[in-house]
C-alpha cells in the first residue's frame, strides 16, 4: 500500500512530532533508530508503528550515540535514515554527528529542543541548542539546520531536510522545539512531494575513488557507493584522501578535505537558505526570529503596522548556514533589527556580526519555556 | 590450502601496504585466519562489510579489498547493527579490541548481543590500549604494569567471552594467536552462524604491553599464550588457566529474521 493511503486523509489535526513522522515517510525514510526522550518520544512511537507497515525498519537502540551510529550505518546500505531526540540526547550525538559530516553520510537528526543545560526542563520549549547545532561537534565544519514554526512546517521541513541531506551528502538537523513538537494543528499532506535522491556512482570500476568529487558533474559532492555494490569503499572518520584511505599527517590533504566539506555548503547558500520575509520593502525596522518565537514575532509585526510602524518580518526557516550577506543588506536599509529567540541570545550574535554596527540590534529573550508574547516584542519597537 | 601469497593477492589492498602494525603484533595472524575462513567458505567479498571501531585491532578492515567502515571509538557494533538491519543480506564482520569493545563500547557490546543481531565479532584482546601507547584497559590482568598503572593494575579485569555468554550470545569462542588453525575454524563457524557470533582472540602487544612487563623475547611471549591457556575440556583441572575453545554454541532467533517476520504480519 502506498504511503498516502497509510497516512490517511489529506487534512488532519495532529501533533508536530507526528507531522515529522509523516514528513519523513513521505520523503522516503525507511530506517529509524532512536532512544526515548521527552519531548521527542512521539516521533519514535510513530515510526515504530508505521515503518513495519511499509516494510521499513525501526530499531530501538541502547542510547543516542548508538542511535546515530545505527542510522549512519544504515544510510551506507542505501536507506534514507532518521533519528529523533532532545537536548541531552543531542549532546551524546555530537561525536557521531562529526563522523557523519566527515564521511559525508546523508541522514536526518531531529532535535525537539527542551530547556537546558543538562536535564533542564523536559516538558518546556527552548531554543537553547542553536549554537550547539552549529558548533557542537569538534573540528571545523558547515552544517544544515532547519527550524519549523508550525506543525505544517514540521512536515514540510522534514521532507526538505531529507532532500538537502541527499543532495549535499550531509547530516541535516531539524531543530524543532517542545511547543511545536507537542502542539496540535491542522495540516495538509501535500499531493505531490518533491523527492531528491543521492547520486549513485556509475563509472568504470578501475577509476573509482570514493571521495573524489566532480567526476561527471562540476560539484563538490562525491557520488555515493552503497555497501554491497561492486565498488569497494572504505569509510573512515580519519582525514582521508580521495581514495578514502587515512592520510593523517599531511596538512594539504586535511586542508583540501575540510575546505571541500565546508564549501559544498557555503557555495550553495542561496539554494539551502529558505526564509519567510514579509514587508521588507521600505521597512524602517525588522524583526528576525525562527521556530515557535517567529509566531508572536509575526503578530507583533502585524500589530505594529496597524499602528503605522513600518516593521518587516524575517523568519529564518534555515538557521544554518546563516545568510550573513542577506542580513548585511537588510541592515543597510533599516534603523533597527530586533531578534526574538527563546535563549540568552544566540542568533542575535550572528545578526550583530552581519550588521557590523550599521543599525541598532536588540534582543527579545524569553527563557523557561515561556514563549514571548507580541506585547514583549512591541515594547522594544517603541 | 591457499598460500599466503595467494591469500594476499586475492584479498589485500596493495595500496594500504605496508601495514602500520608493529613487529610481533598478533593482528596479522587474526587477519590471516579471518581471510582463510572466508576463503574456505568461498564467501562473496562484494556482499561483505567489515566494520571496526578505533585502535590497532580496528585498522584491520582497511587492508581488505571490500566495503569497510572504520567507526568512532567503541561504536563499531552500533554502526554494524545499522548496516545489518539496513540490509540483512550483507555479511557483516566486526573487528574490535578490548578497549573498544568492553571499555568505551561496553554498553553497545551487551545490547548488540541482547538483540542477537547477525554479526560476526572478532575481538582482539591484547590487554592494553596499544595505539595510545599502552594504558590500562578493561582486560589488563591485575598487577600488570601499564603507563596508567605504573605500580601494577589493581582493577578487576573483564572476561570478554564470559561477558558475551552472560549477555546471551549464541556463539562464543576464545582462542589465541598461538592457535591459528583453531581460530580459523572458530571464525568459520562464527561466519556460518546466523546470530551474534563472538570470537575472542588473546593476542600480544609486544610494544606496549609486554615490553612494560619486562618480556622482550617473542618466543617467551608466544609461549605465554600456550602455557597460560587450557582447552575447555581440561579447564576444571587447571582453574588458574584461561579456558579456550568453543565456549557456547546454541540456536537463537536472530534480530533481522524476527523483524522480517514481524513486517510480514504487520505490512499492509
Amino acid at each position: 500500500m502506498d504511503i498516502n493511503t497509510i497516512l490517511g486523509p489529506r487534512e488532519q489535526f495532529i501533533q508536530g512530532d507526528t507531522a515529522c513522522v509523516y514528513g519523513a515517510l513521505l520523503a522516503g525514510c525507511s530506517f529509524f533508530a532512536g532512544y526515548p526522550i521527552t519531548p521527542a518520544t512521539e516521533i519514535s512511537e510513530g515510526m515504530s508503528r508505521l515503518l513495519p507497515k511499509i516494510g521499513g525498519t525501526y530499531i530501538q537502540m541502547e542510547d543516542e550515540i548508538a542511535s546515530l551510529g545505527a542510522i549512519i550505518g544504515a544510510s551506507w546500505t542505501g536507506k534514507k535514515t532518521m533519528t529523533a531526540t532532545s537536548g541531552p540526547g543531542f549532546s551524546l550525538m555530537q561525536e557521531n554527528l562529526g563522523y557523519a559530516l566527515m564521511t559525508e553520510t546523508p541522514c536526518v537528526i531531529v532535535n525537539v529542543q527542551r530547556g537546558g543545560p543538562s536535564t533542564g526542563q523536559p516538558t518546556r520549549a527552548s531554543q537553547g541548542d542553536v549554537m550547539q547545532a552549529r558548533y557542537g561537534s569538534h573540528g571545523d565544519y558547515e552544517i544544515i539546520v532547519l527550524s519549523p514554526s508550525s506543525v505544517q512546517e514540521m512536515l514540510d521541513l522534514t521532507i526538505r531536510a531529507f532532500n538537502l541531506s541527499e543532495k549535499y551528502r550531509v547530516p541535516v538537523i531539524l531543530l524543532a522545539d517542545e511547543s511545536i513538537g507537542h502542539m496540535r494543528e491542522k495540516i495538509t499532506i501535500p499531493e505531490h512531494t518533491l523527492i531528491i535522491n543521492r547520486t549513485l556512482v556509475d563509472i568504470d570500476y578501475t577509476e573509482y575513488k570514493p571521495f573524489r568529487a566532480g567526476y561527471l558533474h562540476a560539484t563538490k559532492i562525491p557520488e555515493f557507493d552503497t555497501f554491497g555494490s561492486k565498488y569497494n569503499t572504505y569509510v573512515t572518520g580519519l582525514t582521508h584522501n580521495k581514495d578514502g584511505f587515512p592520510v593523517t599527517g599531511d596538512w594539504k590533504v586535511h586542508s583540501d578535505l575540510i575546505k571541500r566539506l565546508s564549501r559544498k555548503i557555503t557555495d550553495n547558500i542561496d539554494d539551502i537558505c529558505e526564509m519567510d520575509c514579509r514587508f521588507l520593502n521600505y521597512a524602517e525596522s525588522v524583526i528576525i526570529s525562527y521556530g515557535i518565537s517567529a509566531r508572536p514575532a509575526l503578530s507583533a509585526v502585524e500589530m505594529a503596522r496597524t499602528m503605522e510602524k513600518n516593521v518587516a518580518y524575517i523568519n529564518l526557516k534555515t538557521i544554518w548556514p546563516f545568510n550573513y550577506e542577506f542580513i548585511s543588506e537588510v541592515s543597510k536599509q533599516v534603523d533597527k533589527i530586533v531578534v526574538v529567540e527563546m535563549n540568552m541570545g544566540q542568533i542575535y550574535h550572528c545578526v550583530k556580526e552581519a550588521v557590523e554596527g550599521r543599525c541598532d540590534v536588540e534582543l527579545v529573550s524569553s527563557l523557561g519555556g515561556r514563549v514571548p508574547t507580541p506585547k514583549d516584542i512591541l515594547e522594544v519597537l517603541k | 590450502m591457499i598460500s599466503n601469497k595467494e591469500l594476499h593477492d586475492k584479498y589485500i589492498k596493495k595500496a594500504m601496504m605496508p601495514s602500520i602494525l608493529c613487529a610481533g603484533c598478533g593482528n596479522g595472524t587474526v587477519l590471516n585466519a579471518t581471510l582463510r575462513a572466508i576463503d574456505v567458505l568461498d564467501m562473496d567479498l562484494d556482499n561483505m562489510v567489515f566494520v571496526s571501531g578505533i585502535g590497532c585491532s580496528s585498522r584491520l578492515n582497511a587492508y581488505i579489498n571490500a566495503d569497510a567502515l572504520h567507526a568512532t571509538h567503541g561504536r563499531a557494533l552500533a554502526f554494524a547493527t545499522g548496516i545489518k538491519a539496513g540490509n540483512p543480506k550483507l555479511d557483516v564482520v566486526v573487528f574490535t579490541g578490548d578497549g573498544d569493545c568492553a571499555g568505551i563500547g561496553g554498553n553497545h557490546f551487551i545490547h548488540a548481543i541482547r538483540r542477537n543481531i547477525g554479526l560476526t565479532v572478532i575481538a582482539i584482546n591484547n590487554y592494553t590500549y596499544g595505539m595510545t601507547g599502552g594504558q590500562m584497559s578493561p582486560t589488563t590482568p591485575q598487577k600488570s604494569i601499564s603507563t596508567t598503572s605504573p605500580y601494577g593494575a589493581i582493577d578487576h579485569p573483564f572476561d570478554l567471552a564470559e561477558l558475551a555468554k552472560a549477555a546471551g550470545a549464541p556463539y562464543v569462542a576464545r582462542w589465541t594467536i598461538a592457535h591459528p588453525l583453531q581460530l580459523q575454524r572458530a571464525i568459520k563457524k562464527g561466519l556460518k552462524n546466523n546470530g551474534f557470533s563472538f570470537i575472542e582472540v588473546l593476542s600480544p602487544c609486544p610494544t606496549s604491553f609486554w615490553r612494560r612487563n619486562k618480556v622482550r623475547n617473542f618466543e617467551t611471549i608466544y609461549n605465554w599464550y600456550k602455557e597460560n591457556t587450557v582447552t575447555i575440556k581440561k579447564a576444571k583441572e587447571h582453574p588458574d588457566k584461561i579456558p579456550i575453545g568453543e565456549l557456547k554454541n546454541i540456536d537463537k532467533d536472530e534480530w533481522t529474521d524476527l523483524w522480517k517476520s514481524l513486517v510480514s504480519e504487520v505490512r499492509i
Side-chain angles (χ1 to χ4, degrees), chain A residues 289-333:
Chain A
S289 193
Y290 54 88
I292 182 68
S293 56
R295 296 170 69 140
L298 181 58
S299 300
V301 167
E302 283 165 349
M303 287 157 84
R305 292 183 72 83
T306 62
M307 293 183 272
E308 297 186 335
K309 287 197 169 79
N310 201 350
V311 188
Y313 163 85
I314 300 175
N315 176 3
L316 305 170
K317 291 165 130 191
T318 308
I319 311 183
W320 305 111
F322 188 75
N323 200 335
Y324 284 95
E325 211 173 309
F326 181 80
I327 301 299
S328 172
E329 283 303 312
V330 169
S331 74
K332 289 173 188 163
Q333 176 197 326

Side-chain angles (χ1 to χ4, degrees), chain A residues 172-244:
Chain A
V172 174
I173 295 163
L174 185 76
L175 198 61
D177 63 72
E178 186 276 336
S179 53
I180 297 292
H182 282 164
M183 180 193 293
R184 281 171 197 276
E185 282 184 311
K186 195 183 96 172
I187 56 130
T188 307
I189 296 170
E191 204 160 348
H192 301 289
T193 310
L194 170 76
I195 305 249
I196 299 175
N197 295 320
R198 62 193 82 169
T199 311
L200 295 177
V201 63
D202 184 21
I203 53 158
D204 188 72
Y205 178 78
T206 54
E207 281 182 42
Y208 172 62
K209 288 181 191 292
F211 292 93
R212 176 177 154 182
Y215 256 117
L216 301 175
H217 314 284
T219 169
K220 292 189 168 64
I221 306 136
E223 286 151 20
F224 192 88
D225 160 46
T226 306
F227 279 172
S229 78
K230 64 189 166 118
Y231 301 101
N232 291 339
T233 301
Y234 180 68
V235 182
T236 178
L238 288 170
T239 295
H240 44 274
N241 60 16
K242 288 169 186 174
D243 293 306

Side-chain angles (χ1 to χ4, degrees), chain A residues 7-18:
Chain A
L7 296 184
R10 292 268 316 283
E11 292 191 341
Q12 293 185 30
F13 185 68
I14 57 168
Q15 219 181 33
D17 282 350
T18 308

